[in-house]
Amino acid sequence: MLEGAASTSKIRQYAKGALAAAGVGDVTRVPVDQVAEAVGLHRRDLFELGEEAPRRFREVIKKLSGKVLGLLSVAKREYYVDRSLPVPRQRFTEAHEIGHDALPWHGAAFWGDDHTTLDPSTKEVLEQEANQFSAELLFGAGRFTKHADQYAPGLEAALHLAPQYGVSAHAAIRKYVEDSEHAIAVLTIGRYPKAGGTVELFGTQTFESSRFRERYGRLASMLRGRVGNTTYPELAALLSLQTGSAPACEVTLDTTRGSTSFVAEGFTNGRLNFVVLHRKSKLTGQKLKLVSTDGFELLPG
């Protein structure tokens, strides 16, 4: 979390308040439009503003297609979303804009400033907080984590629940790992397509649950330099994955408890590769088995 950003628990309370105002009960797929209506906001299409917008402004907006995902007009009580985006991305953007409106200190920050004059570090904090609010809202302020942790730890739980919550696999994996009660971590690697069908890896990011950090330390400190097929040949199939998932393997890392072996499971959304790490589960409860890129079967413990 960025320095100066509000705590997750504080932002979660505002998300709970928005859900309560909308009368959203124990559901998985949060009706974002219902939440917006409850807080007095109305959705508009970002690129169909109509004749009420100045012609010059409409022309600029068209040029921003694919670059600006959403906007919020506090004065008009409207927010604008690019309808050409995938539905999970639209939902996250909607919840993000609602977050700017729902977090009271955001209005104060933008009162005498805007995105063109606001200090970059302040803007970054506000954007992170709006993202956090969006995640808390869409994942039911803790409901998703309780749901996912009912299953044995692993990648499949996040992928199985993502469509039920109306979120992307990327968002589900990160939320699952960061909030889980299990000791679990994820390595996220960018993929850059090159000529001849090859892929270059870049920009690694690591996230872990608090229990993983307590037991083993931070994943970033365990990695040996640049992550790739040469440094981690056992992960080659996961790192080169171009569609869907791949069979799990084992990888050994130097942790605060010494040399420790983890189960490594891989998934790609075509833009990022995810390697989820956890110890072999001793749980005997219900488990999930991936049977296709979008289908699962439940296995008894």
Side-chain angles (χ1 to χ4, degrees):
M1 178 173 288
L2 292 174
E3 184 178 352
S7 67
T8 298
S9 60
K10 183 177 181 179
I11 292 175
R12 176 172 290 185
Q13 288 305 311
Y14 281 98
K16 284 184 175 180
L19 291 169
V24 176
D26 189 18
V27 299
T28 52
R29 190 183 181 92
V30 170
V32 181
D33 55 344
Q34 188 174 321
V35 176
E37 183 178 355
V39 298
L41 288 174
H42 304 283
R43 170 173 165 157
R44 297 285 304 277
D45 189 337
L46 181 61
F47 301 107
E48 294 179 4
L49 290 179
E51 294 301 321
E52 72 270 21
R55 179 179 177 182
R56 181 180 177 183
F57 180 68
R58 296 200 305 271
E59 291 175 351
V60 170
I61 285 291
K62 288 181 181 179
K63 293 179 181 179
L64 293 176
S65 179
K67 299 177 182 178
V68 175
L69 305 181
L71 295 171
L72 171 69
S73 173
V74 177
K76 297 180 68 174
R77 306 303 297 154
E78 293 179 341
Y79 64 95
Y80 306 86
V81 177
D82 183 355
R83 291 183 185 271
S84 68
L85 297 170
V87 172
R89 179 72 256 190
Q90 287 188 52
R91 285 170 53 79
F92 190 89
T93 301
E94 286 188 75
H96 174 102
E97 299 305 333
I98 293 171
H100 278 310
D101 185 72
L103 300 175
W105 58 94
H106 281 216
F110 284 111
W111 182 255
D113 244 320
D114 60 28
H115 285 284
T116 63
T117 61
L118 199 63
D119 179 82
S121 61
T122 300
K123 178 182 175 183
E124 189 176 0
V125 167
L126 297 177
E127 291 302 301
Q128 186 205 52
E129 290 177 343
N131 281 342
Q132 182 67 45
F133 178 93
S134 180
E136 291 297 335
L137 191 79
L138 295 179
F139 289 105
R143 187 182 304 114
F144 170 85
T145 300
K146 291 179 181 179
H147 196 171
D149 278 350
Q150 292 177 1
Y151 302 105
L155 174 64
E156 291 90 346
L159 296 181
H160 174 60
L161 294 176
Q164 295 183 38
Y165 281 78
V167 299
S168 67
H170 180 182
I173 292 170
R174 179 166 175 176
K175 189 65 172 173
Y176 171 53
V177 168
E178 290 186 323
D179 290 359
S180 179
E181 290 294 324
H182 300 308
I184 190 164
V186 63
L187 171 67
T188 304
I189 306 173
R191 302 172 70 253
Y192 180 75
K194 301 182 69 176
T198 60
V199 174
E200 179 181 350
L201 302 176
F202 69 95
T204 60
Q205 285 188 308
T206 59
F207 306 97
E208 58 274 314
S209 67
S210 58
R211 182 160 295 183
F212 186 98
R213 289 194 298 272
E214 292 167 0
R215 290 184 179 180
Y216 309 111
R218 290 196 173 272
L219 178 58
S221 65
M222 305 175 195
L223 301 177
R224 304 187 298 268
R226 183 179 177 87
V227 176
N229 296 342
T230 55
T231 52
Y232 291 95
E234 61 269 62
L235 298 179
L238 307 187
L239 297 175
S240 60
L241 192 62
Q242 297 189 35
T243 58
S245 306
C249 64
E250 285 196 8
V251 61
T252 300
L253 300 175
D254 294 326
T255 76
T256 55
R257 291 191 172 190
S259 183
T260 306
S261 293
F262 295 94
V263 174
E265 300 174 300
F267 170 80
T268 183
N269 61 8
R271 185 174 56 87
L272 297 170
N273 276 37
F274 304 88
V275 178
V276 173
L277 304 170
H278 60 88
R279 296 280 285 162
K280 187 171 293 185
S281 176
K282 297 179 181 180
L283 299 181
T284 58
Q286 197 173 44
K287 297 181 181 180
L288 289 165
K289 177 183 178 182
L290 181 64
V291 294
S292 69
T293 57
D294 59 355
F296 294 80
E297 64 179 358
L298 293 174
L299 300 178

